[in-house]
Amino acid sequence: MFGLKSCKRTVDSSVLLLKLVYKIPWLCTPLRTLVDIWPQVMSELSRTSVLMKQRDRVEETLKVMKQAGTASLHVISDFDMTLTRFAHNGKRVPTSHNILANRLLVDEECGKKMRELLNTYYPIEIDASRTVEEKLPFMVEWWTKVHNLLVEQKIRKELLAAAVRESTKSVTSMLRDGYKAFFDQLARGDVPLLIFSGGVGDVLEEVIRQHGVFHPNVHVIANYMDFDHAGVLRAFKGDLIHTFNKRESALSHVARFPELQARRSVLLLGDSLGDLNMAAGVPEPRRLLTVGFLNDQVDARRESYVNAFDIVVLAQDDSMDVPNAVLRFVMSSGRDS
């Protein structure tokens, strides 16, 4: 009997506290925000499609990032199979390179060769038994061969937009569910979004633009085409970026964004272990939370992903729900209210 009374007093006290929080908003806004948002983010992280090796560490990092506020935040993300879906209705969603295999841009023979290269090198890219060092020469070989094939096709810049529309028309959205909330929330908070990709920057930008979310805070670092004065592809600009050399790309490109110097909270999104290197260029990130999307060969790669990323989202979840929940929590900081 005593235990029941004690339990009732505890519940009554909790209810009273909640009432006080809402009756004195000018005094308790940070606490009220925590009461509102914390259960939501924890609900997303409790899904069966979400894995965490150290849940306590994730929760502590979230609270510290929230305390630092929106002004201290920036987001770094991969593109293909991170911001985009891996599959839709049982069919692989095209990557930025796959979009370029469209018949509007290349002939049938070129498209066939690109598919053969994918079938040869993609299994190597995701092979859990090989080290990154072993994979590196194969990735350089793959990207170089694809880029050479594309240059030989003399692709016309004016046809890129039509090719993107044509290649993605069978997919409701090439981007993951919840993409608009993700991009728009970052734009409203003026939070920089850096997209590092081994894909083709011209195509990435067109995909984001056609989805209506290419906001001024979005910066793409990828392999860009070099067109001649007539708009015909003649080469690719700069150094090659592929899955496993994003550390070098990050180190060389992040210096272009001086506004990041004061933004020491980082949310990093990727679908490859190599994507963890995208934060290499960030000057002493004090608050880093990593989210990995494990899209393929889940059983073989589960352990390595759980050991490497703070949060792992499994293949059956093709949404941005987890990143969106994190952003809602962090960006609702009392400091910014």
Side-chain angles (χ1 to χ4, degrees), residues 74 159 168 221 229 273 301:
H74 75 277
L159 297 177
T168 60
I221 298 94
H229 66 280
L273 296 181
R301 301 196 290 167

Side-chain angles (χ1 to χ4, degrees), residues 97 117-127 130-147 198 223 240-246 272 274:
H97 277 109
L117 290 173
L118 174 67
N119 294 333
T120 298
Y121 291 102
Y122 177 67
I124 297 174
E125 178 186 345
I126 65 172
D127 187 348
R130 298 180 191 240
T131 65
V132 171
E133 288 71 23
E134 290 172 328
K135 296 177 182 181
L136 279 173
F138 292 105
M139 297 301 101
V140 173
E141 193 173 279
W142 180 14
W143 261 257
T144 301
K145 287 180 178 180
V146 168
H147 287 183
N223 298 299
L240 179 69
I241 302 175
H242 58 73
T243 304
F244 297 110
N245 73 340
K246 292 182 180 178
S272 163

Side-chain angles (χ1 to χ4, degrees), residues 211-283:
H211 281 77
V213 289
F214 201 165
H215 303 304
N217 65 310
V218 177
H219 309 282
V220 177
I221 298 94
N223 298 299
Y224 277 88
M225 295 174 158
D226 187 7
F227 296 95
D228 64 18
H229 66 280
V232 176
L233 177 63
R234 63 179 183 179
F236 277 80
K237 300 176 182 178
D239 296 328
L240 179 69
I241 302 175
H242 58 73
T243 304
F244 297 110
N245 73 340
K246 292 182 180 178
R247 175 182 176 82
E248 291 76 11
S249 300
L251 289 170
S252 62
H253 286 88
V254 167
R256 292 164 37 195
F257 306 102
E259 67 269 27
L260 301 184
Q261 295 294 322
R263 292 180 176 269
R264 301 298 177 89
S265 295
V266 183
L267 174 62
L268 184 147
L269 313 176
D271 75 299
S272 163
L273 296 181
D275 290 335
L276 290 165
N277 292 318
M278 295 186 297
V282 179

